Amino acid sequence: MPLPGPSHPMQKIADYRTIRKSLKSAGIWSIVFGAVALVMGLMPPTEWILATLGLVLLGTGVWNIAAPRPVGVIADGVTLLMVGVYNLVFTVLALTQGGSSGSHWVMLGVLQLVWGGRRIASYRRFASAFDQQPSDAELNQLDALVDSVRKAKTKESQDVIEIAVEGVHRQNWKAKLSGSEALFVEVAGHDVFFGTRESVNAENRGKVMIGNAVKVTIDVSGHVLKGTMSSDAWRTWEQWKTGIVVPKAFAA
């Protein structure tokens, strides 16, 4: 499936799609964890702070599912910060009172603070995502493009490569490099980036210690993906970047 030209406002449509889908997923988890926290908080002896936190999580989750808006990103980030602070404070208090080791709760609390901060920081990107709502036809076109990239078998494709992106946990991305256009898709997530040969740049940071993969940093119009890709994928990337593509030879 061909990619739209650079004049097409596909990134705006992608941001709208991303924020709606991510808020829905976050809302579901907020409802689940909010219900658990509320039940646990109301069990004797009652912990009103935990019960209140559960209500906040429930409310945020329902709101983000029923009426997704960019401001919901901030609400989701704030609730993550609240949960992180709760886990850290009450774990430390339990330890000072002779409780058993709770290092896993401390680690979870720290991660929740990091996730919450990143979530709030992402608001700037999505703040204008709802300024103009895409049509159903445009969203369906984007869904079809994303699905085609996700399902593409990189070993059998001339223009799709895979990148293992570093982070709290590894995320696999695929990129379709077609003509002078590029589409980057988070395989197990909702994020989508469009770029052109001029706006997308990559740096080869050398080979990994084991295997033939290379370490790369890719800048897609200001969005940075840092991770690894196979040496074959890097050759495909270089060919696309220079505009001189040598067809892959596939086994019969």
Side-chain angles (χ1 to χ4, degrees):
M1 180 176 290
L3 298 180
S7 62
H8 197 287
M10 217 52 168
Q11 188 59 57
K12 279 282 189 183
I13 299 170
D15 287 345
Y16 176 88
R17 174 184 178 275
T18 296
I19 191 62
R20 281 185 62 91
K21 287 183 176 291
S22 63
L23 284 176
K24 181 178 180 180
S25 297
I28 292 172
W29 285 111
S30 290
I31 290 173
V32 171
F33 289 123
V36 172
L38 181 60
V39 171
M40 291 180 63
L42 293 177
M43 291 176 62
T46 305
E47 292 188 37
W48 291 111
I49 294 178
L50 182 58
T52 302
L53 189 57
L55 283 174
V56 172
L57 285 168
L58 280 170
T60 301
V62 171
W63 179 33
N64 280 336
I65 291 175
R69 287 294 184 274
V71 70
V73 173
I74 295 179
D76 188 49
V78 170
T79 55
L80 276 171
L81 292 176
M82 291 169 63
V83 173
V85 170
Y86 176 87
N87 284 329
L88 286 174
V89 170
F90 280 84
T91 299
V92 171
L93 288 175
L95 291 174
T96 58
Q97 295 173 4
S100 58
S101 175
S103 58
H104 57 290
W105 288 109
V106 172
M107 185 177 297
L108 178 60
V110 171
L111 287 175
Q112 288 166 333
L113 292 179
V114 172
W115 290 330
R118 288 181 177 177
R119 195 73 167 143
I120 293 172
S122 71
Y123 172 77
R124 176 181 293 184
R125 173 189 165 191
F126 297 111
S128 62
F130 279 68
D131 287 353
Q132 184 174 354
Q133 184 171 334
S135 67
D136 290 342
E138 289 174 321
L139 290 171
N140 289 337
Q141 179 190 8
L142 179 56
D143 282 336
L145 275 172
V146 170
D147 287 343
S148 69
V149 174
R150 281 182 177 152
K151 294 175 181 177
K153 297 180 180 179
T154 55
K155 291 184 178 180
E156 301 174 6
S157 175
Q158 296 282 359
D159 60 0
V160 177
I161 61 174
E162 191 164 9
I163 310 108
V165 177
E166 302 167 357
V168 177
H169 56 86
R170 195 180 80 163
Q171 298 172 308
N172 288 330
W173 285 68
K174 286 184 178 179
K176 181 178 178 67
L177 310 172
S178 178
S180 63
E181 314 302 319
L183 168 59
F184 289 77
V185 174
E186 187 181 14
V187 175
H190 308 302
D191 233 337
V192 174
F193 297 136
F194 284 88
T196 65
R197 189 175 286 141
E198 291 73 28
S199 66
V200 181
N201 294 288
E203 175 190 359
N204 185 330
R205 296 182 286 112
K207 294 185 65 175
V208 299
M209 292 184 63
I210 301 175
N212 66 347
V214 295
K215 295 179 285 186
V216 296
T217 299
I218 302 175
D219 187 319
V220 189
S221 304
H223 304 288
V224 178
L225 304 175
K226 190 174 182 180
T228 61
M229 67 169 66
S230 70
S231 54
D232 286 342
W234 178 254
R235 280 192 292 272
T236 299
W237 164 266
E238 286 185 310
Q239 291 171 9
W240 173 77
K241 187 65 176 175
T242 58
I244 303 173
V245 179
V246 179
K248 292 181 183 177
F250 300 119

